[in-house]
Amino acid sequence: MTDDPATLVSTRWLAARLTSPDLRIIDASWYLPDMNRDPREEYAEAHIPGARFLDLDDVSDARSALPHMAPPPEKFLSRMRRMGVGDGHTIVIYDGAGIFSAARVWWLMRLFGQTSAVLDGGLPKWREEGRPVTSDLPGVRDRHMTVTHRPHLMHDVTQVAQAAKLGHAQIVDARSAPRFRGDEAEPRPGLRAGHIPGSKNVPYRTLFNSDGTMKDGADLARAFIAAGVDLKKRVITTCGSGVTAAILNLGLARLGHADHALYDGSWAEWGMYPDLRIERG
């Protein structure tokens, strides 16, 4: 793979820069309830040296009833400064699943005008290679960060409903095929099963190699093309609650596709309201 500090970097790339004073590593691990994992506890036990822990729910919009919606710019700025992450830093984000919630934090960084990279393969690959981990906590100093909100990277339900009706953008769903078809019940109670009318299904795992790293080049492009996605047209990503959708945005960015946004409410919102049409099958 080609290391790119604006999208994805390898474990080798990170290991070579581990002692750089301008490097900031973020452990953005977050898990679904049925995974039965405690990200904060796992971080306390072992993390990449220098990593700071970011609670995805803590950096979300507490005013919304929907899960981990993007926060107001001032809240994002506050959390980053408190972690000692700011302007001029090289930011690398990882999680304990491989590539999962780290992509969501990468997308949040982009939403607020910051450049960062996801660690390809995440903590599992790092540890499989025998690279160092620690339980020591890094020293943190407040650091200024300039936040520039880029609202065109995020869509709300009205914008997505318009896209579904008019077809001016492709809606691409990162959920598994059974959930997309409506054959499998949603993990969140009260949600209907199915998908947004006209949307296409690219399960996020189809973007990965067998070792959990992200596919590259033609292999990555094929994951989208096989689902009928036209990589020359605008894309709106969606999923269950806006986490794995960001993996599709990361993949699109790796392909040089610049015209893509994320539906922040995703199925947690669309599947909740009976007046919004759904499709099954």
Side-chain angles (χ1 to χ4, degrees):
M1 64 167 282
T2 303
D3 292 301
D4 176 13
T7 55
L8 199 69
V9 294
S10 65
T11 50
R12 178 183 294 182
W13 185 96
L14 179 59
R17 294 161 176 78
L18 205 54
T19 59
S20 170
D22 291 327
L23 177 69
R24 291 293 180 270
I25 306 172
I26 297 175
D27 183 327
S29 300
W30 176 89
Y31 305 109
L32 293 165
D34 62 3
M35 293 179 174
N36 297 314
R37 295 178 65 174
D38 185 329
R40 191 179 291 274
E41 184 178 289
E42 291 182 14
Y43 168 81
E45 291 175 357
H47 52 265
I48 296 176
R52 298 112 199 272
F53 181 76
L54 175 65
D55 184 337
L56 184 58
D57 291 320
D58 182 54
V59 75
S60 299
D61 189 351
R63 302 167 303 179
S64 175
L66 295 169
H68 39 256
M69 295 284 282
E74 58 272 13
K75 182 173 184 178
F76 179 81
L77 173 61
S78 170
R79 296 300 186 269
M80 291 300 108
R81 291 187 63 171
R82 193 168 70 188
M83 292 173 61
V85 179
D87 295 340
H89 283 148
T90 299
I91 304 169
V92 178
I93 309 160
Y94 75 87
D95 62 61
I99 300 179
F100 188 59
S101 50
R104 171 70 184 190
V105 178
W106 167 85
W107 175 78
L108 284 173
M109 289 284 184
R110 290 187 78 235
L111 180 66
F112 295 114
Q114 290 292 319
T115 298
S116 66
V118 171
L119 180 63
D120 198 17
L123 188 60
K125 189 170 192 294
W126 182 270
R127 299 194 72 167
E128 283 168 11
E129 294 170 345
R131 301 190 189 275
V133 294
T134 183
S135 60
D136 296 340
L137 300 180
V140 175
R141 291 184 178 180
D142 188 63
R143 177 74 172 245
H144 175 73
M145 176 180 277
T146 303
V147 168
T148 305
H149 193 204
R150 304 168 72 196
H152 65 282
L153 299 180
M154 180 176 72
H155 278 11
D156 61 21
V157 65
T158 302
Q159 292 168 300
V160 176
Q162 186 179 48
K165 182 178 180 179
L166 301 179
H168 59 259
Q170 303 165 100
I171 302 168
V172 185
D173 195 319
R175 291 176 301 158
S176 68
R179 287 177 64 188
F180 179 82
R181 293 192 302 263
D183 297 341
E184 189 177 280
E186 285 295 304
R188 287 182 175 82
L191 297 183
R192 298 171 295 165
H195 56 266
I196 298 169
S199 58
K200 304 176 188 301
N201 186 209
V202 180
Y204 75 92
R205 293 185 187 278
T206 63
L207 272 56
F208 299 158
N209 298 305
S210 58
D211 65 353
T213 57
M214 183 167 278
K215 292 177 180 177
D216 211 4
D219 288 339
L220 180 58
R222 274 193 288 270
F224 289 96
I225 295 168
V229 178
D230 185 340
L231 292 173
K232 295 179 181 179
K233 295 183 178 179
R234 180 164 176 75
V235 173
I236 302 169
T237 67
T238 182
C239 62
S241 62
V243 174
T244 59
I247 298 172
L248 302 189
N249 292 93
L250 178 62
L252 290 166
R254 287 288 290 172
L255 291 169
H257 189 295
D259 194 10
H260 54 91
L262 184 148
Y263 171 26
D264 205 22
S266 284
W267 198 253
E269 180 176 43
W270 193 282
M272 182 170 52
Y273 294 110
D275 55 332
L276 293 172
R277 287 183 55 241
I278 66 170
E279 288 181 348
R280 302 187 68 165

